[in-house]
Amino acid sequence: MTSNSPISQYVSRFKAEKGKILSFLSAFPFYGEVLKNHQYYEADRISRNELSKKLDSLKEPIRRIEENFVRERRMDLIGSTEVLLSILERLKNEIIGASYGLNGLGTGFKATESELEALAEWDYSLIHHAEELSTKVKSPDFPPEVSVDTVRNWVSSFRSELDEFDSALKSRKDVFLKR
């Protein structure tokens, strides 16, 4: 495991959170091996939490866009961003749910360190994608006289970005299953 890989960063964060008891127990051969495997599951949990928080943070800018439509009394635009909020909620629930993390891959699988590295790299790329989405959702500053077509095009464009993110989530398991 390289020192600058995403999984090593998450494992380091896990070690820092657990402190002296973990380092004491890892000195014993049996506990050391058990804790080593446990570190990957904890690193996966940390990355899933981080990813879900990033997706959750996308909701507030979308709500503000909707509030502006209400404030401006643009009846033709009210509710146009609801589909984005529902997609974000579904994606967040998918990530938090047990079907996304290492447990979702099946407890019968014994993942190798290289497979866990590949999964961490995948998750790290998803985190970067979520950051790009955050930039895109904060960029539109619709003027009061914005046309309905402009808003619909932006919503459609952002929805396609979320669909790409969704397909990346679904293809994550292919990294592990070597498809």
Side-chain angles (χ1 to χ4, degrees):
M1 172 169 40
T2 61
S3 63
N4 60 356
S5 73
I7 188 95
S8 66
Q9 293 171 4
Y10 287 119
V11 168
S12 298
R13 279 176 58 186
F14 168 67
K15 285 180 181 178
E17 286 177 8
K18 295 302 176 190
K20 295 179 181 180
I21 294 174
L22 178 69
S23 60
F24 173 73
L25 288 175
S26 63
F28 298 103
F30 173 73
Y31 289 114
E33 189 61 32
V34 170
L35 290 174
K36 178 183 176 191
N37 293 336
H38 185 66
Q39 288 173 358
Y40 287 110
Y41 287 96
E42 287 298 314
D44 179 63
R45 181 191 56 79
I46 291 170
S47 65
R48 282 188 296 143
N49 286 343
E50 190 170 323
L51 188 56
S52 69
K53 285 178 186 174
K54 289 200 181 289
L55 284 180
D56 202 35
S57 71
L58 297 176
K59 291 180 186 177
E60 190 57 34
I62 292 173
R63 286 186 186 121
R64 275 190 254 122
I65 290 171
E66 192 69 29
E67 286 173 4
N68 287 338
F69 295 154
V70 171
R71 188 177 309 116
E72 299 295 328
R73 297 185 181 134
R74 295 289 310 264
M75 297 304 286
D76 50 347
L77 295 176
I78 293 174
S80 57
T81 60
E82 284 298 316
V83 67
L84 300 178
L85 292 173
S86 65
I87 291 172
L88 283 171
E89 188 64 29
R90 182 182 53 80
L91 290 173
K92 185 182 139 202
N93 289 339
E94 236 175 82
I95 291 167
I96 292 173
S99 64
Y100 178 73
L102 289 176
N103 291 337
L105 295 173
T107 53
F109 290 111
K110 177 73 172 152
T112 64
E113 195 166 322
S114 62
E115 289 169 331
L116 293 169
E117 288 269 348
L119 286 173
E121 290 288 340
W122 193 266
D123 289 342
Y124 197 67
S125 70
L126 289 175
I127 289 171
H128 280 298
H129 193 171
E131 290 170 353
E132 292 170 7
L133 289 173
S134 177
T135 303
K136 289 180 182 179
V137 79
K138 292 176 183 173
S139 64
D141 188 22
F142 297 118
E145 64 279 347
V146 66
S147 72
V148 174
D149 289 335
T150 303
V151 173
R152 287 186 180 152
N153 288 340
W154 180 83
V155 168
S156 175
S157 170
F158 197 75
R159 182 177 181 171
S160 66
E161 290 279 339
L162 290 176
D163 290 341
E164 285 178 29
F165 191 87
D166 186 30
S167 55
L169 282 177
K170 286 179 175 42
S171 60
R172 177 189 188 262
K173 68 178 180 236
D174 295 342
V175 172
F176 186 74
L177 299 175
K178 298 177 182 114
R179 289 184 186 167

